[in-house]
Amino acid sequence: MAVTQQLARVPAEYLASCRQSADASKDGDPRWDPPLADVLDLDWAPFLLERVCRLGGLDDVHRCALRQALDGDTAIDLAFLNIHPHAIGPFGPAPTALSAAQVARTAELLGQIDFPALLAALPPDEAEAVSLVGNGADRIVGGPKKYVLRHFTALRGFYRAASQRQLLVVLWWD
């Protein structure tokens, strides 16, 4: 089974309820089960998204926003989601999250990124682009450009919806 990046949009109250469940449970079970409609599987795209943005010349402010969208922040204590045997991300780093305010700012900045223009900065020859992107891009069926565009579009839409609903975003690798 491959380890992939997962994101979930949740209200602060849901996170508080999970924390209370973990505290009340003998084995630390937070009863973490966000609705599937509010979960995004980014697969292995984060590395490729960051690489395309770097190669495409994306400015530091927007690259930082992308990094935050993919890495989260450690300001919100999510230790209760990382307790065996109920850890939501047992194969990667500890789960992180973004507050509703951070989500709103991240969504705004992601909305300003012209991702097709970043892709256009890559060599038109697919083999050259694959070589430049690296990070396993040569194993992507259909080519890395379509793959990263699809995942960036999903990421931007995910954050836009979270921002509109004033939700937090929790991130983990599973």
Side-chain angles (χ1 to χ4, degrees):
M1 180 168 77
V3 177
T4 62
Q5 187 172 36
Q6 308 291 312
L7 293 84
R9 300 179 287 226
V10 297
E13 297 81 15
Y14 179 77
L15 209 53
S17 172
C18 288
R19 185 176 282 111
Q20 288 174 345
S21 293
D23 288 343
S25 171
K26 289 181 182 179
D27 64 353
D29 185 357
R31 305 219 186 283
W32 174 259
D33 191 22
L36 286 179
D38 285 320
V39 175
L40 176 64
D41 182 344
L42 277 183
D43 199 33
W44 293 345
F47 307 110
L48 300 172
L49 289 168
E50 289 189 73
R51 180 76 173 144
V52 167
C53 288
R54 193 174 323 114
L55 292 169
L58 187 63
D59 64 87
D60 289 343
V61 169
H62 290 91
R63 273 192 17 220
C64 189
L66 177 67
R67 192 170 305 112
Q68 187 171 45
L70 299 171
D71 293 345
D73 191 316
T74 58
I76 297 173
D77 178 19
L78 297 179
F80 67 94
L81 291 177
N82 205 26
I83 297 172
H84 181 74
H86 303 287
I88 66 171
F91 305 112
T96 60
L98 294 177
S99 68
Q102 289 172 308
V103 166
R105 180 67 179 146
T106 300
E108 177 185 345
L109 291 169
L110 290 176
Q112 296 169 2
I113 297 173
D114 183 354
F115 205 79
L118 297 172
L119 288 171
L122 294 176
D125 177 70
E126 191 73 22
E128 248 185 276
V130 163
S131 175
L132 199 57
V133 172
N135 292 312
D138 58 325
R139 295 187 299 267
I140 297 173
V141 176
K145 290 180 181 181
K146 289 178 184 175
Y147 176 86
V148 293
L149 179 59
R150 182 174 70 247
H151 284 84
F152 179 78
T153 302
L155 180 69
R156 180 173 35 206
F158 187 84
Y159 270 93
R160 183 182 319 113
S163 174
Q164 290 167 344
R165 295 167 53 199
Q166 298 179 335
L167 299 175
L168 289 76
V169 172
V170 175
L171 304 95
W172 71 99
W173 285 85
D174 185 22

